[in-house]
Amino acid sequence: MIPFETAMQVALANVHRTGVEDVDLADAAGRVLALDVASDLDFPPFDKSSMDGFACRAQDLGQTLKVVETLPAGKMPTRAIGPGECARIMTGARVPEGADTVFMVEQSQAMADDSVRFTGTTTRSNLCRQAEDVRAGDVVLPAGTLLDPRHVAVLASVGVARPRVAARPRVAILATGDELVEPSDVPGPSQIRNSNGWQLAAQVTAAGGVPTYHGIARDEVGALGRLFRLAAATSDVVLLSGGVSMGDFDKVPDVLRDEGVRLLFDAVAMKPGKPTTFGVRDTLAVFGLPGNPVSTYVVFEVLVRPFLLAMMGHAWRPVRTVAPLARDVRRRSLDRDEWIPVVIGADGTAEAVDYHGSADFVALSRADGLTRVPAGTSFLAAGTSIQVQRLPW
Ligand code: AMP
Ligand code: MG
């Protein structure tokens, strides 16, 4: 059994980066940027008004000023502002030469002969200087950025209409187990429905991969091998659920070895997820995830998600919240780190969900996050601040 951090390092050391492709801005969110993006412009690109008002010289604020032109956003000023003059100006419009101040419409009084007076007492300049945010040539988004809507706005602003992003990893999913039937079937008296296959497909999509579900393999070496070969032929990563524990019918590690996969670990000091198995064959990576639904879920979130994002060049870190525990937490399995599903209450305290272990997928579905308790810690008192990795992603 190896520590979780070691397992993570071994997996990340075997990442093969995907290729790149160019996508429309409409499809960019959720993708990982493949190149540094530099701005082609200064921001703001010109001195611009941040108010609707009148642009003038600060030293003239005490005078009645003649309005020499009107400047909506998008219009180029036709003349410089001289002494005793101003231009009526809208938010976002270019400030004319000579003006260094804009006073607000709300602090103005119109006078006869298209003149205006400043009625306020103090004013800020109310203009945004060219390049005060960004200079042309500055890198505004580094390679590896996981693009969200804010980044889409940056790309649009700097004229990148087809950003270059990492290709999505192709991830094959196969469920194993003689007891499994598909969700549309009614299980027989000793059967259960396959939830992991579908859950994993959804997790892969949420992590930016392209899942292909290959169905259920029976716990038999020939059937498993056949389905594995099919899955491996067209994918970068294969995820198997089930069949990695110590039972007589847990055939996955043997089948993987027979298929030429070099197993790099098959036991991790984590709960849930101890029998998690990882191996490689050329550029193919294979994860054997324990079959219990909570184990499958958690191991994907803490190990496979960072792996898939690393394939796209993104160093993923979970969003964490710190919250005080509402109640004591006691635990066994002190040889392993444990990920415990918690609910965050309206008062901001965290409470371990009432949870019957790694088969209790309904309890997991109510959790707001996972807290990781290190090996050796048997007790956490109510009130202790804990870190919670937020779910879902
Ligand atoms: P295994 O890791 O194959 O020993 O499976 C551990 C437990 O998880 C058993 O109770 C299985 O019935 C259950 N299980 C395995 N695969 C799935 C699946 N695809 N969906 C739901 N439960 C599963
Ligand atoms: Mg099984």
Side-chain angles (χ1 to χ4, degrees):
M1 193 159 80
I2 60 171
F4 173 77
E5 256 64 38
T6 308
M8 187 86 246
Q9 280 164 16
V10 169
L12 291 179
N14 285 279
V15 159
H16 289 273
R17 293 282 293 271
T18 59
V20 298
E21 59 188 338
D22 295 342
V23 294
D24 287 343
L25 275 184
D27 302 319
R31 305 299 298 267
V32 177
L33 198 59
L35 303 172
D36 288 348
V37 169
S39 182
D40 64 336
L41 301 172
D42 291 336
F43 284 95
F46 42 81
D47 290 348
K48 97 183 166 183
S49 178
S50 64
M51 296 285 171
D52 295 324
F54 297 89
C56 67
R57 308 179 335 151
Q59 71 218 72
D60 295 349
L61 279 170
Q63 305 174 24
T64 294
L65 301 171
K66 181 162 173 40
V67 180
V68 296
E69 70 175 324
T70 295
L71 296 171
K75 184 166 183 229
M76 191 64 197
T78 60
R79 44 174 299 174
I81 297 301
E85 294 181 342
C86 70
R88 182 178 281 109
I89 193 165
M90 311 302 145
T91 304
R94 184 179 183 114
V95 175
E97 295 292 318
D100 56 10
T101 294
V102 173
F103 61 89
M104 297 161 68
V105 181
E106 292 87 336
Q107 297 186 334
S108 71
Q109 183 186 0
M111 312 293 284
D113 306 332
D114 210 7
S115 299
V116 71
R117 253 171 34 98
F118 174 53
T119 57
T121 45
T122 57
T123 184
R124 304 183 307 135
S125 71
N126 294 326
L127 52 91
C128 306
R129 289 291 182 190
Q130 177 168 353
E132 74 181 20
D133 301 337
V134 174
R135 291 200 165 279
D138 285 354
V139 171
V140 285
L141 295 173
T145 301
L146 178 56
L147 298 172
D148 71 28
R150 297 167 301 165
H151 307 123
V152 173
V154 175
L155 291 168
S157 302
V158 303
V160 178
R162 299 255 311 155
R164 181 152 296 180
V165 299
R168 300 174 183 279
R170 300 167 304 161
V171 184
I173 294 160
L174 54 104
T176 74
D178 288 344
E179 73 281 30
L180 301 178
V181 299
E182 289 295 11
S184 52
D185 296 332
V186 177
S190 62
Q191 295 180 316
I192 60 167
R193 289 194 176 102
N194 165 28
S195 59
N196 292 342
W198 303 100
Q199 173 199 292
L200 283 170
Q203 285 178 295
V204 167
T205 302
V210 181
T212 303
Y213 174 60
H214 285 270
I216 300 168
R218 297 301 156 202
D219 291 319
E220 183 263 305
V221 176
L224 260 169
R226 271 192 302 282
L227 205 55
F228 174 80
R229 285 193 290 279
L230 204 66
T234 52
S235 56
D236 306 309
V237 178
V238 177
L239 305 179
L240 299 104
S241 111
V244 289
S245 312
M246 289 303 184
D248 293 348
F249 298 92
D250 293 327
K251 311 280 192 197
V252 166
D254 286 345
V255 168
L256 294 179
R257 277 190 211 96
D258 287 350
E259 296 298 329
V261 175
R262 191 158 54 90
L263 297 187
L264 300 180
F265 57 80
D266 60 7
V268 183
M270 62 188 301
K271 183 182 178 180
K274 183 174 164 188
T276 297
T277 297
F278 174 75
V280 294
R281 188 183 73 190
D282 304 321
T283 60
L284 178 73
V286 183
F287 290 87
L289 308 174
N292 264 312
V294 178
S295 313
T296 310
Y297 181 85
V298 169
V299 175
F300 183 95
E301 289 305 314
V302 302
L303 189 65
V304 183
R305 169 186 290 275
F307 184 88
L308 295 181
L309 282 156
M311 290 178 74
M312 295 183 273
H314 177 72
W316 189 74
R317 270 180 305 153
V319 173
R320 295 203 178 91
T321 310
V322 174
L325 268 176
R327 290 171 206 267
D328 296 349
V329 169
R330 279 167 223 283
R331 70 179 204 100
R332 301 183 304 263
S333 310
L334 299 184
D335 58 336
R336 295 184 269 161
D337 289 6
E338 183 167 357
W339 279 259
I340 299 175
V342 299
V343 172
I344 304 213
D347 62 355
T349 62
E351 190 170 345
V353 295
D354 183 17
Y355 160 65
H356 302 122
S358 39
D360 195 349
F361 52 87
V362 177
L364 175 70
S365 75
R366 298 195 184 109
D368 295 310
L370 299 170
T371 191
R372 179 177 175 180
V373 184
T377 301
S378 58
F379 177 73
L380 292 172
T384 308
S385 278
I386 58 163
Q387 286 201 358
V388 179
Q389 168 179 340
R390 299 306 299 253
L391 298 174
W393 281 99

